[in-house]
Amino acid sequence: MRRALIGAGGLAALAGGGAWLLRRRDAAAYDRLAVETWRPPRMAPPLLRELVRCATLAPNSHNTQPWRFALAAEGLRLLPDPARRTPAVDPDDHHLFASLGCALETMLQAAPVLGLRAEAAVDGAGIATLRVSPAPARGNDLAAAIARRHSTRLPFDPAPLPAADLASLEQAGGADPAVGLVLVSAPAARATLAELIIAANRAQIRDAAFVAELLSWIRFSHAAALARRDGLFAGSMGNPAVPEAIGRRIFPLVFTEAAETRRLARLLDATPAFAVLAAAEAGPRGWVAAGRAAQRLCLRATALGLATSWVNQPVEVAAMRPALAALAGLGDRRPDFVLRLGRGPAAPPSLRRPPQDVMAEEQA
Ligand SMILES: Cc1cc2nc3c(=O)[nH]c(=O)nc-3n(C[C@H](O)[C@H](O)[C@H](O)COP(=O)(O)O)c2cc1C
């Protein structure tokens, strides 16, 4: 029999080769979908659907994409998706509304490219309404950056950023007087901030609920990332993609306090500047405003050729917030985010669900 001729070793090799071919096919499919996902804004009707597609490219916590877009008489309403809450890391939905703010800012920046004038109003519950009307089409460098912005969880070039870049970042991130932006680039302050981030990160790794929730959003393989088109893809986090079962088995062995502290310390050491943002208003409307400012900052950084990456551990661990606020001189404001800024390498981009999965007619 042929089977007998090949033998058990040969069969295992064939099976291994087959699995390897499947993984290569998934990796190629991932790359193709990533290119399609990260298309720049373009005047492709229906325009509101294209606007929603652009919005979905916004940064968002754990890549949960916690948004829904309702077609309304005036344009669009941007609503939270409670099914995509992350209660362990974000018990009060701060990051959820901040993610909506990032999406809102993305739509406001993309609209002119689509030949639309867009105006936003946000109510006290953090629900945004986007009024849209036709306007002459025009491009701008922040809109052009929408499809090039990614979170880069890899080491940056530690060389200081030019003063002109810092000024430009300050202008973009600080454009809304209701959201404070502090750039931290002096060595002593950076070192203190790094200590805070590491201490908060240690606390999170000791928190079983935080780790379980994080794990539930990690996509170890191309296949899992392709199937869900959300979550944290291993490749985008600077790790090799591996079969899902292997990833889940290896995770507890490699995601240890000691290993994560070493990895994070290397990233923080090589970061020439951090940004800390804090909205004046506490509550969902303030968090949306903070998200808008953070996305403006990220888009400006991208336009300047800089990489961005969020290190929100001292915001997420509530006990660390007062120390962070004191370091950044925020008074009694709650800090909203901490970001790393610098020149960094590229990693595979994350995926997004398509507009049809996140759009709905508004319920009467
Ligand atoms: C409110 C908010 C909080 C975030 N916090 C973190 C964080 O603490 N650590 C991190 O690595 N990424 C963080 N991110 C980045 C998201 O994980 C990232 O935007 C998402 O995975 C999509 O990837 P992309 O930014 O490359 O498009 C945060 C993003 C937002 C909007």
Side-chain angles (χ1 to χ4, degrees):
M1 245 164 85
R2 182 125 185 246
R3 218 171 129 184
L5 285 177
I6 293 173
L11 274 178
L14 268 181
W20 179 81
L21 276 176
L22 280 179
R23 286 208 298 278
R24 282 222 11 196
R25 188 200 61 185
D26 290 341
Y30 186 101
D31 291 346
R32 277 197 304 276
L33 183 58
V35 170
E36 194 190 314
T37 300
W38 290 91
R39 286 192 319 271
R42 58 180 188 182
M43 227 168 151
L47 294 179
L48 289 184
R49 185 191 170 107
E50 172 65 1
L51 201 56
V52 168
R53 186 189 71 79
C54 295
T56 66
L57 300 181
N60 64 96
S61 185
H62 281 11
N63 199 18
T64 58
Q65 306 164 37
W67 40 53
R68 287 181 296 132
F69 299 83
L71 290 168
E74 56 276 73
L76 285 168
R77 270 159 57 82
L78 176 48
L79 305 153
D81 183 348
R84 290 176 170 263
R85 296 185 65 237
T86 47
V89 69
D90 188 30
D92 58 4
D93 291 338
H94 169 279
H95 282 8
L96 188 154
F97 282 100
S99 301
L100 297 188
C102 294
L104 181 60
E105 182 64 25
T106 309
M107 289 198 282
L108 288 163
Q109 296 297 341
V113 179
L114 276 53
L116 297 174
R117 206 170 98 87
E119 279 171 280
V122 183
D123 69 18
I127 309 298
T129 303
L130 198 72
R131 280 180 188 283
V132 176
S133 53
R138 61 187 164 81
N140 66 72
D141 53 353
L142 295 196
I146 290 170
R148 288 187 283 115
R149 180 218 58 82
H150 307 290
S151 298
T152 305
R153 300 178 189 84
L154 295 167
F156 293 169
D157 176 349
L161 297 183
D165 283 6
L166 293 174
S168 177
L169 292 167
E170 215 151 30
Q171 202 188 18
D176 177 359
V179 182
L181 165 69
V182 180
L183 291 180
V184 179
S185 56
R190 279 191 286 131
T192 312
L193 182 52
E195 279 170 23
L196 274 183
I197 296 168
I198 287 174
N201 197 59
R202 284 185 186 278
Q204 286 183 322
I205 293 174
R206 288 182 207 144
D207 175 350
F210 170 87
V211 175
E213 184 178 84
L214 175 68
L215 183 58
S216 75
W217 285 101
I218 295 181
R219 312 285 175 246
F220 289 99
S221 64
H222 290 103
L226 281 166
R228 304 281 300 270
R229 294 169 70 160
D230 64 8
L232 300 161
F233 172 52
S236 307
M237 296 199 290
N239 297 316
V242 293
E244 212 56 21
I246 294 181
R248 280 175 201 283
R249 203 170 294 171
I250 290 177
F251 181 80
L253 307 175
V254 295
F255 190 78
T256 62
E257 192 178 323
E260 278 302 293
T261 299
R262 273 196 305 276
R263 185 190 63 81
L264 192 55
R266 266 201 306 275
L267 295 184
L268 299 174
D269 253 12
T271 298
F274 294 88
V276 182
L277 291 107
E281 183 178 340
R285 182 166 40 204
W287 303 336
V288 170
R292 285 191 57 187
Q295 172 65 335
R296 265 197 312 277
L297 177 77
C298 288
L299 294 177
R300 170 58 63 211
T302 306
L304 290 168
L306 300 175
T308 56
S309 172
W310 308 62
V311 276
N312 279 324
Q313 291 88 334
V315 167
E316 292 159 356
V317 178
M320 312 291 291
R321 283 180 208 149
L324 176 59
L327 173 86
L330 302 176
D332 55 9
R333 279 191 190 188
R334 166 184 174 159
D336 287 300
F337 323 111
V338 185
L339 285 115
R340 299 194 299 130
L341 304 163
R343 291 187 192 284
S350 55
L351 296 182
R352 295 295 192 272
R353 291 176 296 149
Q356 62 268 26
D357 285 17
V358 293
M359 283 179 85
E361 295 288 340
E362 182 138 71
Q363 303 293 308

